[in-house]
Amino acid sequence: MALEYTDKVIEHFRNPRNVGVIENPDGIGKVTSPICGDIMELYIKVKDNIIVDAKFQTFGCAAAVASSSILTEIIIGKPVKEALKITNKRIVKALGGLPKEKLHCSVLAEDGVKSAIEDYLRKAKRR
Amino acid sequence: MNEKFIYLDHNATTPADLRVIEAMRPYFNELYGNPLSLYKFASKSREAVELAREKVAKLLNAEPNEIIFTSGGTEANNVAIKGVAHANLTAVRQVKKRGNHIITSKIEHPAVLKPCKWLESQGFKVTYISVDKYGVIDLDELRDAITDKTILISIMHANNEVGTIEPIEEISRLAKEHNVYFHTDAVQTVGKTSTNVDELGVDLLSLSGHKFYGPKGVGALYIRRGTKLVPFVHGGGHERNLRAGTHNVPGIVGLGKACEIAELEREEAKKLKRLRDKLYQGIMDKIPEVIFPGHPENRLAGTLSICVKYVEGESMLINLDFEGIAVSSGSACASGSLEPSHVLLAMGIPREVAHSSLRFSLGRDNTDEDIDKVLTVFPNIVKKLRKISPFGKHR
Ligand SMILES: Cc1ncc(COP(=O)(O)O)c(C=O)c1O
Ligand code: FES
């Protein structure tokens, strides 16, 4: 398999942003790709309905790591409502494209942010 | 950038030996005659093809007329498997036995599995035999699978992903007892270990030039005298009507040369094993939580398959690529597929661990320095990737 990744994907894969976990997060998303079985965990910190911090850990291919990394850049500073609307297309675009067979890896990141925000909203309700 | 490119993917393909290239050269535009033409000029091409046939036969301890040339390992497997299956359907006389049942294993290369799947769609029954945790065929299961309808057993000599060498002699005894044809895909062993067809006891054996320093796109099938096949490539009467098409003369000459060189380089396996074991020891010492699929002893000398827990295979592969080190994750032929390796799964390795697989396969040009370089950069790559991994939290 030739590594037909864009420079942007490679750059994020080599130097992923916001790797790790957040202690006492406001929301956690743990998702598994139904396609390949790879896994992403996303932690978010929310203040006044704005995502102020995000960290991830991903077990997946280079496209999955790059998608996770760029996702955290996109969502930090965004209102929760807006972040909820982020689709994998948006992630792919930000990465300058992904090979066709790697599109599902960006879906993993989309699922990750949805799941983290849902978790946050659930917890917020209870408070 | 990187000083030296380090190639550790010889099970995928090898560079052609310079002696092979030299031997091929005249047959492109000097001695370019069609081997089947009748004038003197063409007889040079014919002689070259026949000389190559003798060299291939010699490496296998076979007779030249038991060798046919093909476009590679994939085609050799297809000619063998479909050829036996269809001979059984047609009026070809003297087939060993009539039936509709084929036995193979769960860890074959797609070049065996896919023809078998296709034959299933044509009404044949296929049994896929299990392997143990080392990737060795379950002989009891194989014995029990043989019925009076079984016409062919096809089990690979050595597995391309983990390097495990299968008990071919035992399987051939079973095949003989039950009067069943026995084919082996020896693409990974020819030119690397002994592949004497009489010692192995096989009726059919596939090989491929590019896996042992020959050219790509050329291979051969050994067909023991008396074995009944029908062709599936129809055309001119080349290769005893079994494989029509004008001979790939330069390729065939190169294949012959590669066989000749393989006989001279028999000591090479020792060197490969030493380097492979050094790599194994180094990874053992420097990286925790790695498992090593494949048989500890009965294994191809240059192959080291590993699963690095908590890290996905492709991400390691790409990081090694940045360092100028070429390896594969699972099988190069199966890549692009999202399923973890069918070989590792058949060996009982859990899905998520199978996702963490990497294969180093060493070859003629590798040196101690190459291994040292891998052992310097690889542990850091794993450390970095484990930090990104959600499974790596506790460390
Ligand atoms: C075990 C095995 N069989 C068959 C093949 C296919 O051979 P070829 O590439 O010559 O078609 C390969 C190589 O990928 C192999 O490793
Ligand atoms: S292949 Fe699984 S995330 Fe990319």
Side-chain angles (χ1 to χ4, degrees), chain B residues 72-74 77 109 156 160 185 187-188 208 210-211 333:
Chain B
T74 300
N77 287 342
H109 190 274
M156 69 202 318
N160 46 304
D185 174 348
V187 165
Q188 288 294 345
S208 174
H210 73 102
K211 304 284 184 179
C333 313

Side-chain angles (χ1 to χ4, degrees), chain B residues 122-339:
Chain B
Q122 302 296 302
F124 284 87
K125 300 243 173 332
V126 181
T127 305
Y128 301 87
I129 301 297
S130 314
V131 296
D132 67 11
K133 65 174 176 176
Y134 297 125
V136 180
I137 298 298
D138 185 332
L139 284 172
D140 293 327
E141 196 177 314
L142 177 68
R143 186 179 299 110
D144 292 344
I146 302 174
T147 70
D148 55 358
K149 292 278 180 239
T150 309
I151 52 172
L152 173 69
I153 298 173
S154 178
I155 302 285
M156 69 202 318
H157 191 187
N159 180 269
N160 46 304
E161 291 187 35
V162 297
T164 299
I165 296 174
E166 299 300 336
I168 298 299
E169 292 90 339
E170 275 94 327
I171 299 167
S172 89
R173 266 197 290 283
L174 283 176
K176 280 204 189 74
E177 265 169 44
H178 293 87
N179 206 26
V180 176
Y181 286 131
F182 180 29
H183 165 252
T184 191
D185 174 348
V187 165
Q188 288 294 345
T189 50
V190 170
K192 299 184 196 168
T193 63
S194 169
T195 45
N196 178 324
V197 288
D198 286 337
E199 283 170 13
L200 295 174
V202 294
D203 301 303
L204 298 144
L205 177 147
S206 304
L207 64 96
S208 174
H210 73 102
K211 304 284 184 179
F212 63 109
Y213 311 98
K216 293 175 179 55
V218 63
L221 178 66
Y222 158 78
I223 308 171
R224 185 175 294 278
R225 183 171 306 136
T227 307
K228 298 295 169 198
L229 301 183
V230 297
F232 73 95
V233 178
H234 302 275
H238 316 79
E239 298 300 286
R240 295 171 24 220
N241 277 325
L242 278 169
R243 199 278 185 175
T246 298
H247 295 94
N248 169 7
V249 180
I252 288 168
V253 168
L255 176 63
K257 191 71 186 178
C259 289
E260 184 185 320
I261 294 169
E263 293 215 55
L264 302 174
E265 307 275 352
R266 285 209 187 274
E267 291 300 299
E268 189 172 85
K270 287 199 191 108
K271 176 193 120 175
L272 291 186
K273 183 170 183 307
R274 185 182 66 74
L275 289 178
R276 194 265 321 269
D277 290 346
K278 173 175 169 171
L279 180 61
Y280 162 77
Q281 198 55 50
I283 291 175
M284 276 279 276
D285 292 346
K286 295 185 173 197
I287 306 177
E289 301 207 62
V290 177
I291 62 168
F292 298 87
H295 197 281
E297 281 104 40
N298 296 331
R299 182 154 51 108
L300 288 173
T303 305
L304 183 68
S305 167
I306 68 174
C307 292
V308 183
K309 286 191 183 171
Y310 320 122
V311 192
E312 198 266 348
E314 188 207 86
S315 61
M316 290 186 278
L317 182 156
I318 295 181
N319 271 293
L320 285 166
D321 193 28
F322 291 144
E323 302 288 342
I325 300 168
V327 301
S328 87
S329 75
S331 158
C333 313
S335 66
S337 107
L338 299 162
E339 275 297 297

